[in-house]
Amino acid sequence: MDIDLMTYAFFEGAIVPHEDAKVSIATHALQYGTGAFGGIRGYLDKSGSAINIFRLPDHVGRLLQSGLMLRCDLPYSPDQVQQTIIDLVKKNAPDRNVYIRPLIYKAGIVLSPKLTGIRDDLAIYMIPLDDYVDMSSPLKLMVSSWQRVEDNIIPSRGKITGAYINSSFAKDQATEGGYDDAIMLNREGKVSEGSGANLFVVRNGTLITSPVTADILEGITRRSLVEFARDQGIPVEERAIDRSELYVADEVFLCGTGVQIAAVGSIDGRKIGDGQRGPITEKLQDIYFSLVRGEDSPYSHYVTSIPIE
Ligand code: PMP
C-alpha cells in the first residue's frame, strides 16, 4: 500500500501540491538510480506548537556531499536547502511527528549511465511518521547473507538511491525469515550496519561501533550518540567488529533517523544479554528523546525548532 504524502512538496523550484510533483518515466534517476537522498525527522515539540528538526545542517551537508559524489550541480547553497525545508514544514504545518525526504536526482532524460551533462534537480516531500520499527519490544535481527555494498562499488557514505537495492535484498531476506531486520557484513566479513541504520554493541561497559571505513553510511544519529555517550563518561570505541562479538555482546542497538534508537533482543536466534533493552541503550534513548521533544537538554543547539501556526 502506498504511504500518504503530506499536502505540499517542493518540486522544480517551487512548493506545489504533491500531486503536481511528477517526473517522466524516462528520468535518468528512475532508470539508473542516480539520486541521493536524505531522511530527516521533525518531532512535534512538547508544547504542540513547533516541529523540532534534529541536526538539520548536518543532514543538508550530507545530502549535498552525496550529490557531489554523483557530480550533481544544483543552484542551491546549503542555507537555501535548509530554508526550503523549513518553508515546506511551515507550509504543511503538521500537528504530529513527520519525516522529511529531500532528494537530489538526475532529472534529465539521457540514455547512457553516466553522471555529467544531465540536468540535476532537488525535490522534497514529507510524510507523517511515528515509529518506523516496533519500539515496544527488542528487535530480532539476523546476519544477512547479502554483503554490504562497498566504497569502490557504490560509496556507502553517500546516501545514493540505487545503493538501497542492497538494503532491500537484506531486508526482504530478514523479514521473510521471520526477523525484523538484517545486519550486513562488509567484504572483510566485519560488521557493517543494518539495512537502514547504524549499529552499536556494548561489551563490558564499552560502547563499540564500526568505523566510517567499514562501508557504513556515516550516520548523524551514530555521531550524536558517540558524543552523548562520551559526555556520560561511557568509553566509546570506533573499530572493526567481528560477527561473533554480536553473539557475546551485553547490549546491541540500531540507530538512525528512521529507527531512532532501537534495542536488539536477539541476533541469529541468540539472545543478546537478557534479551531486554539494556541500561546504556536506555540512557541514550532518554537523552535523544528528551532533546527532540524540546525538553531541557545540553544538546538543544542540535535542534531547529520551527513554529507551526
Ligand atoms: N545506514 C543506512 C544504510 C541508512 O539508510 C541510515 C538512515 N539514514 C543510517 C545508517 C542512519 O543514518 P542517520 O542517523 O543519519 O539517519
Side-chain angles (χ1 to χ4, degrees), residues 144-165:
S144 184
S145 64
W146 290 98
Q147 184 186 299
R148 176 77 185 148
V149 280
E150 63 181 292
D151 192 55
N152 210 27
I153 296 180
I154 303 177
S156 315
R157 69 171 45 70
K159 207 166 156 58
I160 293 169
T161 56
Y164 278 77
I165 295 167

Side-chain angles (χ1 to χ4, degrees), residues 62 148 159 164 193 195-198 217 219-221 255-257:
R62 185 178 64 196
R148 176 77 185 148
K159 207 166 156 58
Y164 278 77
E193 59 177 340
S195 69
N198 295 118
L217 181 79
I220 291 162
T221 319
C255 76
T257 301

Side-chain angles (χ1 to χ4, degrees), residues 11-33:
F11 182 65
E12 297 187 338
I15 292 179
V16 297
H18 76 78
E19 298 87 356
D20 298 340
K22 298 273 163 65
V23 297
S24 160
I25 54 168
T27 302
H28 197 273
L30 188 58
Q31 301 291 324
Y32 297 118

Side-chain angles (χ1 to χ4, degrees), residues 88-299:
L88 185 65
V89 170
K90 284 188 171 154
K91 184 79 178 172
N92 276 316
D95 57 4
R96 51 171 300 169
N97 296 337
V98 292
Y99 183 75
I100 305 155
R101 175 55 68 84
L103 171 71
I104 293 174
Y105 64 107
K106 301 263 164 221
I109 294 174
V110 172
L111 205 54
S112 21
K114 58 176 191 166
L115 297 174
T116 51
I118 309 168
R119 181 173 65 84
D120 299 302
D121 215 336
L122 168 71
I124 313 170
Y125 64 85
M126 291 173 54
I127 58 168
L129 187 69
D130 288 316
D131 292 339
Y132 169 73
V133 292
D134 180 6
M135 301 286 278
S136 62
S137 58
L139 300 174
K140 272 175 67 180
L141 303 187
M142 70 174 287
V143 175
S144 184
S145 64
W146 290 98
Q147 184 186 299
R148 176 77 185 148
V149 280
E150 63 181 292
D151 192 55
N152 210 27
I153 296 180
I154 303 177
S156 315
R157 69 171 45 70
K159 207 166 156 58
I160 293 169
T161 56
Y164 278 77
I165 295 167
N166 181 241
S167 295
S168 306
F169 279 131
K171 178 86 180 179
D172 264 28
Q173 184 188 35
T175 52
E176 280 164 29
Y179 299 91
D180 297 307
D181 210 332
I183 297 171
M184 301 182 78
L185 307 181
N186 61 20
R187 191 189 192 130
E188 278 72 51
K190 304 296 181 190
V191 172
S192 182
E193 59 177 340
S195 69
N198 295 118
L199 182 138
F200 281 86
V201 304
V202 177
R203 294 192 66 195
N204 303 319
T206 299
L207 190 59
I208 309 164
T209 192
S210 309
V212 293
T213 48
D215 299 315
I216 63 166
L217 181 79
E218 295 177 357
I220 291 162
T221 319
R222 170 189 175 280
R223 193 185 313 156
S224 309
L225 299 187
V226 167
E227 181 183 344
F228 301 166
R230 288 201 168 121
D231 290 349
Q232 293 297 309
I234 300 167
V236 181
E237 288 178 9
E238 296 182 52
R239 62 149 176 88
I241 299 174
D242 283 332
R243 176 180 190 162
S244 60
E245 289 190 272
L246 299 171
Y247 299 156
V248 296
D250 304 315
E251 298 178 42
V252 175
F253 60 85
L254 291 179
C255 76
T257 301
V259 302
Q260 306 172 104
I261 300 158
V264 175
S266 72
I267 298 173
D268 292 342
R270 296 149 194 263
K271 210 195 272 186
I272 305 301
D274 63 2
Q276 300 304 315
R277 178 178 66 166
I280 292 184
T281 310
E282 187 177 349
K283 177 86 221 163
L284 294 173
Q285 281 177 337
D286 288 347
I287 296 172
Y288 176 80
F289 285 115
S290 66
L291 167 65
V292 296
R293 285 178 188 137
E295 281 152 30
D296 267 351
S297 165
Y299 306 105

